[in-house]
Amino acid sequence: MLNLSSSLGAQLLGALERAFPEASKAARISGAPLNAQLVSASKPEYGDFQINGALSLAKHLKQPPREIALAIIAQLENDEDFLGICEPPEIAGPGFINLTIRTECLTQEIQARLQDERLGVPLVRSNGNEQTLAPVIVDFSSPNIAKEMHVGHLRSTIIGDSIARVLEFRGHPVLRLNHVGDWGTQFGMLIKYLKQAAPEALTKENVVDLGDLVNFYRQAKRRFDQDEVFQADSREEVVKLQSGNQLSLNAWELLCSQSRKEFQKIYDLLDIRLSERGESFYNQFLPDIIEELESSGLLVVDNGAKCVFLNDINGKDGKPLPVIVQKSDGGFNYATTDLAAIRYRFNTPPSGDGAHRLIYVTDAGQANHFRGVFQIAQRANWIPKGGRMEHVPFGLVQGEDGKKLKTRSGETVRLSELLHEAIRRSKADLQRRLNEEGRQESKEFIEKVSKAIGLAAVKYADLSQNRITNYQFSFDRMLALQGNTAPYLLYALVRIAGIARKGGDLNNFDNELKFSEHKEWDLVREILKFDEVIVEVEEELLPNRLCNYLFELSQVFNRFYDHLPILKASEPYKSSRLVLCRLTANTLKLGMSLLGIPTLDRM
Ligand code: ARG
């Protein structure tokens, strides 16, 4: 009900100005206009919207909140437009005002939504000025070459993709960037090791897969920690690579492409689009970054290393924390690359992306890293006016025992294993259900449905958590048909598709709409909340809000479906109820697609 809330907002502002002309004017001039705080109602018994501002205005206006509320109401009731939208306002408690939208108005909104593919969600480029829309960058997934992609990367991939989808749907040009860890001293070590252990891997394709590389990496690391000669040789390899030695570069390229193949399998399975722009891309800019930090007076040499000391962020010793940007041996690190990335992403083309919002999706353990580099970028003046940088942190993935997720034999879980396991289990569930119901289905149906449900369950389980908290990975819970799960939501859609199969015409919405039951109005109101939820996710980057909404919508729909006849109802109720079915289905489908989850007609 975004358009209603913006009309109400304007009417409320007018009412406030008429009720308190002097104070309104003074407040406007001082740059802090009076705010009546219009919000969606926090409980259904408060109506549709609440005006909370009388309490905070009381001090400013030196009047009791109830009197302020009465004065606002008196003005609102003088406003024809307001009366066209709302029932007479009600005062609650010490001075809250509850607003209930008139049923005619809700019906009109439903009517409007039937004609609108976007289901009420406005496009950001509504001013018609496409040229001025700067891209948003979503930096997500970002695994490391020659290392296994782990469950943390899976979370980043799923959450980042959903955020990107919401932003794209709102009309933002989105750059989905895979900031893979494809550079650094570990490559020297790995190349040195492979030269002895598996030299063909450095010159020929497909000699090793990612699993082999991960093992080689482990062995190389062990050797590196024990053997000084090997250490020195590895450093030499790094120098060769960084100075552009062709053989080293070829070997490095090969290692990257072997890893990439493996990552791509996961992206294909999950239907993730990403553009790879790894750390190595920013190499060329690193010396400049140091120079710029130097000339803006931020650089301090400490124990031979070049650092920037952070403001207001202290280490354990209570002293300002340094961020090292160039090590004493001249090498650059993760922070330097991220600084170069920030500068590049904000710079206008052709020397950058010209973005206005940077979003980083990583585990919460990197919060300090991002706080540090964001602050440095700010102090170096690399952020354009209105530019935003946001770290989107998420918690750890734990097993059902609350500990770090491991396989039974105690190894880290391989992502492709995990996804295939979800599909296997959803297939077993499906077959059990088919047996119980005595249903016969084709092999293709079983394959398609179990794959869709298995992957949907993994994605949804992750997205429906408040991402900040750690989350317990449980196949049983995520695949359950009851509760806040993907199968529950998918099933609501299957029910609606079933109505259509039984002869309900979901595409006929020419008849006049008429609702009379509570359960219909509940569903009407729930359907109409969709647009607000999307705009909220765009702002707060919390996909779990969308999940909770879709869960709520499915529950409200199921109560409607269980209590009211649809196909057996008489007209105009029948076609009005079919309209609600259609809109519920469209809202669920669109909402799920913004989570990256395809839906089914039968399951
Ligand atoms: N490669 C890093 C990791 O595996 C994540 C990179 C996130 N993006 C960034 N711009 N730092 O933890």
Side-chain angles (χ1 to χ4, degrees), residues 542-600:
L542 288 170
N544 62 308
R545 297 268 170 83
L546 175 55
C547 296
N548 289 343
Y549 166 74
L550 296 175
F551 178 47
E552 189 67 33
L553 176 63
S554 308
Q555 285 180 306
V556 174
F557 172 77
N558 283 334
R559 287 197 280 270
F560 158 92
Y561 180 91
D562 290 337
H563 286 91
L564 299 175
I566 297 173
L567 293 175
K568 293 206 173 104
S570 58
E571 288 297 354
Y573 299 107
K574 177 179 165 185
S575 47
S576 301
R577 286 176 193 170
L578 284 171
V579 155
L580 294 186
C581 291
R582 175 193 163 89
L583 280 179
T584 302
N586 288 355
T587 308
L588 280 172
K589 271 188 213 157
L590 179 54
M592 297 288 265
S593 83
L594 296 179
L595 299 173
I597 300 178
T599 58
L600 298 162

Side-chain angles (χ1 to χ4, degrees), residues 491-502 506 585 600-602:
Y491 195 69
L493 274 167
V494 166
R495 278 184 142 179
I496 301 173
I499 297 172
R501 275 197 300 277
K502 280 184 226 132
L506 297 182
L600 298 162
D601 283 342
R602 291 197 312 126

Side-chain angles (χ1 to χ4, degrees), residues 2 23 27 69 74 139 233 241 404 417 508 595:
L2 279 174
D139 173 321
D233 289 351
L241 179 62
K404 206 173 156 200
E417 282 298 313
N508 170 17
L595 299 173

Side-chain angles (χ1 to χ4, degrees), residues 139 141-144 150 153 179-181 279 334 338 345 360 362-363 366 369-370:
D139 173 321
S141 192
S142 309
N144 301 314
H150 56 67
H153 295 123
H179 190 84
V180 294
E279 295 181 8
Y334 188 50
D338 259 326
R345 291 166 181 188
Y360 297 81
T362 80
D363 63 286
Q366 301 198 30
H369 162 77
F370 285 109

